[in-house]
Amino acid sequence: MRAAVVDIGTNSTRLLIADVSRDSSEVVQLERRSTVTRLGDGVDSTGTLSQQAMERVLTTLIDYCGTIAQYGCDANIALMTSAVRDASNGSSFTSEVKQLGLDAVVLSGDEEAELMFLGAMSDRPDSAARTVVIDIGGGSTEFVIGFDRRATFHRSVQAGVVRMSERHIHSDPPAEEEVDALSEDVLETFSAALPPQRREDVSAGIAVAGTATSAAAIALDLEPYDPNVVHGFVLSLPTIESLLARLSQLSERERRAVRGLHPDRAPTIVAGMVLLREALRIFSLDEVEVSEHDILRGGALRLAGVA
């Protein structure tokens, strides 16, 4: 079947169009797009989606719907995540998305984590090793622990790049004490949400979504972006710490010019590096594998009946 999956996140809106084989053993990507729409701007402080942010997303979705029609997709799904879950006007925004012809679904934190884990693990060989999949989003970070395609523990933590940036980063470039306070907040939040006995079993990590792929692209000095090079790249903890030290000393204007970093991610990448570093530290991991396969792929498999 030909599936169209839209991921409406706190920081970006993304599209995947793929052909999924009948037995779901193969997912062939036909089109993949990403637009930084910042739907979650201000949600942490106001509790509502702003009109400007909703309009940015709806404009992007109208464009995506045209692409979906061109490909003659058999089914579509629009996955609504942290920003929509948290906002008091999230249900009315969901109705507007449905009016565009998209099958909009507001995922619980658990559902979001399960689809993300399915996507990240779907093309990997069976293994008994306990793996944590880390998805750093705009409003939250998803942690899923399991093996093969089976998730055994998942937790959605209310700490994402937009939320943490708005809470702590008020200088340009960020002041050292702001980055330290952000790090302390993230560590406390992760520690409270992730039981020690769950962390101890983990021996490998996979990181998906924009923060991880951006970190890989910067480390590779990659311009233009090439998903085939990024997918499978291994980020060491020292590399992440080096990237954080470098990026936190730059102004937003200077970060926009960094090779490998999409300019629209410049405002939140410092928080992203902190979140990624603390995620590895909390699981005592020395490195993490970056994956291009995430909740979009999980959504395509869900449409095909796998989840």
Side-chain angles (χ1 to χ4, degrees):
M1 69 171 295
R2 180 159 294 179
V5 185
V6 179
D7 171 30
I8 302 173
T10 301
N11 197 44
S12 60
T13 301
R14 303 182 300 146
L15 169 67
L16 171 68
I17 296 176
D19 284 336
V20 186
S21 62
R22 290 190 177 185
D23 62 358
S24 303
S25 63
E26 187 176 12
V27 179
V28 179
Q29 178 177 308
L30 303 176
E31 181 91 15
R32 183 164 178 148
R33 297 168 64 182
S34 179
T35 307
V36 175
T37 46
R38 302 291 297 276
L39 178 62
D41 272 355
V43 169
D44 190 48
S45 57
T46 67
T48 61
L49 303 172
S50 73
Q51 188 61 40
Q52 296 91 333
M54 290 188 289
E55 288 175 359
R56 287 195 297 269
V57 175
L58 292 171
T59 297
T60 298
L61 292 178
I62 290 169
D63 182 36
Y64 285 2
C65 284
T67 303
I68 292 169
Q70 289 174 7
Y71 275 94
C73 295
D74 301 306
N76 75 71
I77 189 169
L79 307 173
M80 322 279 278
T81 55
S82 177
V84 180
R85 280 199 307 268
D86 297 343
S88 59
N89 57 344
S91 59
S92 62
F93 177 67
T94 302
S95 297
E96 290 190 65
V97 174
K98 288 181 177 179
Q99 290 173 13
L100 297 177
L102 293 170
D103 183 11
V105 178
V106 181
L107 299 175
S108 68
D110 290 346
E111 290 171 328
E112 182 178 351
E114 288 166 358
L115 283 181
M116 182 264 294
F117 190 76
L118 174 63
M121 301 294 286
S122 62
D123 66 339
R124 303 175 70 84
D126 291 348
S127 171
R130 295 282 172 178
T131 300
V132 59
V133 179
I134 305 161
D135 181 354
I136 299 171
S140 63
T141 296
E142 317 302 323
F143 293 96
V144 195
I145 298 170
F147 56 94
D148 299 339
R149 294 191 185 187
R150 298 190 296 276
T152 56
F153 173 82
H154 42 84
R155 186 61 49 85
S156 180
V157 183
Q158 295 302 294
V161 299
V162 175
R163 191 186 300 271
M164 289 293 112
S165 295
E166 290 182 350
R167 189 174 294 177
H168 293 287
I169 304 298
H170 309 294
S171 305
D172 186 26
E176 183 177 349
E177 56 268 27
E178 291 175 342
V179 177
D180 290 344
L182 196 160
S183 300
E184 183 177 348
D185 189 0
V186 170
L187 178 59
E188 290 178 358
T189 303
F190 285 177
S191 297
L194 299 165
Q197 63 269 29
R198 295 290 186 176
R199 302 180 225 153
E200 292 167 0
D201 292 339
V202 170
S203 59
I206 299 172
V208 301
T211 290
T213 57
S214 295
I218 298 169
L220 289 162
D221 196 30
L222 198 58
E223 195 72 45
Y225 185 84
D226 186 343
N228 295 318
V229 175
V230 167
H231 184 66
F233 182 75
V234 176
L235 277 169
S236 69
L237 183 57
T239 296
I240 294 168
E241 291 174 332
S242 176
L243 289 173
L244 172 59
R246 172 189 171 193
L247 293 167
S248 63
Q249 292 173 7
L250 302 177
S251 67
E252 180 180 323
R253 180 183 60 81
E254 291 170 326
R255 293 196 299 272
R256 287 180 179 274
V258 171
R259 286 174 60 88
L261 179 64
H262 191 289
D264 289 343
R265 293 196 178 275
T268 59
I269 192 61
V270 172
M273 290 297 100
V274 171
L275 285 156
L276 186 57
R277 181 187 67 181
E278 298 306 325
L280 265 67
R281 284 178 169 176
I282 203 75
F283 284 97
S284 300
L285 293 173
D286 296 323
E287 62 184 29
V288 67
E289 181 181 330
V290 179
S291 175
E292 281 281 331
H293 297 163
D294 53 23
I295 195 171
L296 287 170
R297 189 180 180 96
L301 291 167
R302 171 172 169 168
L303 284 176
V306 174

